[in-house]
Amino acid sequence: MGRDLTLLGLTLALVLLLAGAVIFPHWLTFLVMMSLARGLVVLGIVLQMRAGLVSFGQGLYYCIGGYTAAMLGSLYGVREVAVLIAAAILVSAAVAFVLGTLLSRYRDIFFAMLSMAFSMILYGLLVKSPALGSTDGFNVPAMTFFGWKPAVQSTGVYVITCFLAYMIALAYHYYQKSPAGYLAGAIRENEIRVEYLGSSAQWLLHAKYVMASVISAVGGLLAALATGHVDPEMAYWTTSGEFVFIAILGGTGHVAAPFLGSTLFSLVRTYAYQFFPYTWQMILGLVLLLIIVFLPRGLWSLIQRLYSEKPRAADR
Amino acid sequence: MKIIKRTGWFAGVILVIAGLLCAPSAWAAENGKLRLGIVTFLSGPASGPFGVPAENAAKLTIAALNAGKMPAPYAMKGINGVEIETVVVDEAGGATKQVEEFRNLVERQKVDAVIGYISSGDCLAVAPVAEELKALTVFFDCGTPRIFEDASYKYVFRTGPIATTDNIGAARYILDTSPNTKSFAGINQNYAWGQDSWNDFKAAMQVLLPQAQVKTEQFPKLGAGQYGAELSAILVENPDIVHSSFWGGDMEALVLQGAARGLFDKRSVVLTCGETGMFRLAEQMPEGAIIGGRGPYGVFAPDNPLNAWFRKEYQAAYNTPPTYPSYKIVQAILGLKNAAEKAGSAPGKLPDTDAIIAKFRDRASRHRADWWRWASARPIRRCRASPMAPSIARARTRHRRSSTSGVIRRNA
Amino acid sequence: MQPIVRTESLCRNFGAVVAADNITVAINPGEVVGVIGANGAGKTTFVNMVTGYLQPSAGKIYFRELDITKLKPRQVMRIGICRSFQIAQLFPELSVLDNLLIAVSSSEGTWPNFLKPLKSPARIAAAERVLADYAITSFGDTIVATLPQGVRKLVDIAMAMVTEPAVLLLDEPTSGVSVEEKFAMLDTIMAGVGGWRDGAVRRARHRDRRALCQQGAGILRRPDHRRRRSRDGAERSRRSQVRGWIADSPAVGAAMIGLQQVTVAIKRTDILNNVSMAIGSGRMAGLIGRNGAGKTTLMRSIMGLLPLRKGSIVLNDIDLSGVPPHRRTHHGIGFMPEDRRLIPDLTVAENVLLPAWAAKLADTDAQLAWTYALMPEVQQFADRKASLLSGGQQKLVALARSLMIGRRLLLLDEPFEGVAPALAQRLIEVIAVLKGEGATVLISESDYTYSRDLVDQVFVIERGVVTAR
């Protein structure tokens, strides 16, 4: 393996995707945009999964990101994406810090259920707020992107999505190689030993929870900009469940896995929609079931297998 | 060698995927037909009462149009002589999903127009996208007034009335039939539709019957199914009128449970969406319940040749009389047809979108005396407390036995 | 001299069970101290209390006269008290080097770095130095889960030593290692510890070894420990007893279990290589081999827990290859895993009954009564949760559990491992009774220490190859 194939690959992907703004058909740029946005949310889940925690409430931050953007946009007249990004990060970090003090004490199913409960509380609050459109939600107005006002709004969202996803993916990649990143695996496997090595598993999980939340909130913000609409469904447990599913589908082995997983998920779903309008749920479930059965470690294991077997194959 | 083979294999897979991605746009090549996207609930709780009846009606109507068998003035084949082909999409999955699928419909499947959307949230989310893509879109059912109140769209139309008219109509009906009403209460689902419906009804009542007091407002959650606690709360307060915008299974459950608890005994219950359940619940529907059909649809539709044709064909095809969602989607299709045919192209050719839009707007503002008065879109202003024309109230709600018993008996 | 660690009247109860009773000790810098006691005497509890994992019910702990009673493990570790574990506590999915790198980076500060890479040259050098100290450099890239127990113990100790602590507590450092290897391993440990900078322990002198290797090691002697017999004496008395039992060995029947050319691979490495062996009905066989030779793999293969690459296994004319693992117990095979594998939240009785329930055994009560009669001590703590037992007691329960179901064949994987001599005696007694009742038994051991005079036939396993002797 080369020194850092991931850096190279991510940069290459960024260049390709940016070129795609011109080359791709529009529906595909939209699909990529949504997949990247959702991929970020899934990245947040994967970050916690590596430490052995499965969040069934990541929709909470998806929703917080989306609503922060939409509320600032339509209620307070903010028209600059940079402000929205900063706000989404601050709000989600603050919420995650507070909730994290409680959640970092829990593990396994207790963590999963508690995280889901918080997400459902937000859902309930939003449904009971007619001022925010209740279940219908409301729309996000057009934005400028660091001063740039594109002719078509979605071009701007696409470019900003690619850049944000790239930057977060890079940061995540370096984080995984750092001591803190390795400690995630260590906590998952043997929390007692981590304590005896002098690190606090609880503090680390708290920090990871905040990080995951911020990443997911950025994903929610981008999704809200891309669709131009937010509704409480973003915090509903089925949305969170979908994210967990994509995380398992993609695998947890690499930063690209969640993005790959969410792209495949979107593709399968949209074609199932198109070709099987009456049974798309079943087709979707079947395809995903097959992937889980034959690739239990996720899609990424396919690519991993491709490359990790190289030296072995060359030997023979 | 192995490495090269592997990489080649990988590249091959990517190529195949890329090919798959590009393929559908090729299928949407010009075949001289009008490609119409139909979006309605095919799965989930809204599919039974709304989505599937609407889809059935659309299929029936489009088949008749393509065969040129519709009664005058819709006898021209297809739309302006152009055959219609449809792409049917499930509305389930939430607003984000629908935005994604709307883009796919327009950009990948290259439909010429989209008719659809029952959920108000979906309409709110889809409208700006339709505008961005310059895609002619007709909403046939969603009831929120916020679409055209909060923004104005060139490419987006709605051929049905908003929920506000239902509820003001219901209030006016009560003013006409029981002006001595002293008190009223509401039981509505705790989501946007239920909250908006109740607020509109309450505001209208406070203007029209200022002496009537709100006794209690109950908001059980959507799809709760059990309403014992809420019914008790209402019965304790003993209001003269009970308002409910329940739909589908929830509405049917409320009728059954309410009848058992005596909810309908000494008071009038207004079910603004009651029409979809009236054939299924023909035996259980209590005497004196006030039923709405979200406009002049179903049993409230005027008696004319087109309606007679539609009822007969629908009954024959699906073995049940059509309810309001069926009427509403036909209205959207015929509205589009009407506008397109008036746009001035030679028969057999499609006029361009802008010309259709101009005529669609024209139709809307002039209120042509078609047998379906609402067969065109109009930006209806939200009119919470202003009295509506009495004709709307009359069209909206009616004592069941007085006008619909014949219909019910046919099914029962 | 000021003691480096001092405890005052430490007590600890688990419900009604007293695990530590009024322990008052003082340890001076530079001392090597042994803690000796039978299984369940409270050795691990003591280590757990000093390192903050367990809060004492009463009493105080001082480090250099600083009260550390209330500190958490990570705080205790930060002031300079490290420990190793009876069962190595590692990160099994990671490589040995990664395990040590995490330890190195954790020792650098309270908060880990979030962006700079873990694998810096400086850290790798530090980790490799430690690996070299404990003579496990060659295992650097091996995933911990595939390591033999002995190496795991060394990694465990190496991780504790990374921070160069002032006090090191070794909890049974050589349990899970064969007796022959124990001394070599102790040399390795003490050599590693000898390079220790702080000077709390300078060098282990030869006379310290015995204390360390005998039973439980660490720094302290239980004030009320029961006995400390010389190793030779213990062995002599045991052997004389064992001979007496062998005399009435029952007649040998047809082959109860037969392996034909069995090859088993784990992660594409052959662990068992073309193994053929047969044990006659009613016979007791020994399986002798060093750590990592393939003893556990062989037993797990018979239980169906590992797939055969080649060959077949036949139990009394039944070809086991067609029998899924969970059905094999129904054929009367009992398995006592080396690492006990009790279910911690169930009571002892429930643990023992579990295989009988799973196999829907008809005469569960009779079988249980027979098992209890054979091992009355298990009945004594039948109502206690398995997690509250000491390592040695768990071993007894695991044997009882295998007896419940193993009417035709008993597979005992290292039954005498990590067990005090007295308890080993008890195990031998029980096994000898079984032999008297005509059970077919396969006992694995790393040498002949206990089983030599107990078994009828011996198989030696070496790098996956089995030879009859």
Side-chain angles (χ1 to χ4, degrees), chain A residues 26-27 30 34 127-128 133-137 139 154 229 231 267 269-270 273-275 277-278 280-281 309, chain B residues 6 21 27 43 55 90 92 95 97 101 103-104 107-109 120-121 124-125 132 146 190-192 195:
Chain A
H26 276 132
W27 66 267
F30 187 75
M34 283 308 288
V127 166
K128 290 186 174 73
S134 183
T135 41
D136 285 348
N139 290 348
S154 56
H229 184 81
D231 59 35
L267 277 175
R269 186 164 68 170
T270 185
Y273 242 74
Q274 179 177 337
F275 295 120
Y278 303 94
W280 63 272
Q281 286 104 331
E309 279 191 9
Chain B
R6 268 169 201 286
L21 292 185
W27 300 335
S43 60
E55 194 221 349
D90 189 355
K97 179 89 209 78
E101 289 311 318
R103 283 178 182 273
N104 288 337
E107 294 180 328
R108 194 169 74 208
Q109 309 246 38
S120 293
L124 277 175
E132 184 196 314
R146 289 174 49 209
N190 195 1
Y191 81 116
Q195 293 159 356

Side-chain angles (χ1 to χ4, degrees), chain B residues 60-81:
Chain B
L60 184 139
T61 308
I62 287 167
L65 282 175
N66 283 339
K69 283 186 188 158
M70 285 284 272
Y74 300 100
M76 190 187 278
K77 183 187 172 220
I79 289 181
N80 204 30

Side-chain angles (χ1 to χ4, degrees), chain A residues 35-59 61 111 168-169 172-173 175-176 180-188 204-205 207-216 240-262 297-300 304:
Chain A
S35 300
L36 289 180
R38 277 198 285 251
L40 283 175
V41 187
V42 176
L43 196 65
I45 291 186
V46 166
L47 195 150
Q48 295 171 80
M49 254 186 191
R50 288 187 66 93
L53 295 177
V54 182
S55 164
F56 267 95
Q58 211 60 17
Y61 296 100
F111 177 84
I168 291 176
Y172 177 88
H173 174 62
Y175 154 76
Q176 281 306 341
Y182 271 89
L183 271 170
I187 289 171
R188 181 186 66 219
L204 271 164
L205 290 177
K208 282 166 201 285
Y209 181 74
V210 174
M211 278 162 58
S213 307
V214 168
I215 294 176
S216 300
S240 303
E242 200 173 281
F243 290 134
V244 173
F245 194 92
I246 296 173
I248 296 167
L249 187 73
T252 56
H254 191 262
V255 60
F259 297 104
L260 202 72
S262 76
R297 310 203 72 171
L299 277 178
W300 188 253
Q304 226 164 20

Side-chain angles (χ1 to χ4, degrees), chain A residues 25-31 33-35 38 62 124 127-130 132-139 152-155 223 226-229 231 233-234 264 266-267 269-271 273-275 277-278 280-281 302-303 305-307 309-311 313-314 316, chain B residues 2-3 6-7 9-10 17 20-25 27 42-44 55 59 87-101 103-104 107-109 119-122 124-129 132-133 144 146 153 190-193 195-196 199:
Chain A
H26 276 132
W27 66 267
L28 186 59
T29 56
F30 187 75
L31 188 140
M33 189 153 70
M34 283 308 288
S35 300
R38 277 198 285 251
Y62 182 59
V127 166
K128 290 186 174 73
S129 312
L132 294 178
S134 183
T135 41
D136 285 348
F138 55 103
N139 290 348
V152 182
Q153 175 72 11
S154 56
T155 317
T227 51
H229 184 81
D231 59 35
E233 194 82 0
M234 294 173 93
L264 184 96
S266 298
L267 277 175
R269 186 164 68 170
T270 185
Y271 279 100
Y273 242 74
Q274 179 177 337
F275 295 120
Y278 303 94
W280 63 272
Q281 286 104 331
L302 202 69
I303 290 166
R305 210 181 296 168
L306 211 67
Y307 286 95
E309 279 191 9
K310 265 185 183 175
R316 283 179 192 158
Chain B
K2 269 251 165 75
I3 300 168
R6 268 169 201 286
T7 315
W9 177 82
F10 192 50
I17 292 174
L20 195 73
L21 292 185
C22 297
S25 43
W27 300 335
L42 303 177
S43 60
E55 194 221 349
K59 276 198 291 201
V87 179
V88 180
V89 172
D90 189 355
E91 199 186 327
T96 307
K97 179 89 209 78
Q98 286 313 313
V99 167
E100 216 169 327
E101 289 311 318
R103 283 178 182 273
N104 288 337
E107 294 180 328
R108 194 169 74 208
Q109 309 246 38
S119 152
S120 293
D122 293 344
L124 277 175
V126 161
V129 185
E132 184 196 314
L133 301 180
T144 181
R146 289 174 49 209
Y153 299 107
N190 195 1
Y191 81 116
W193 170 261
Q195 293 159 356
D196 289 352
N199 287 335

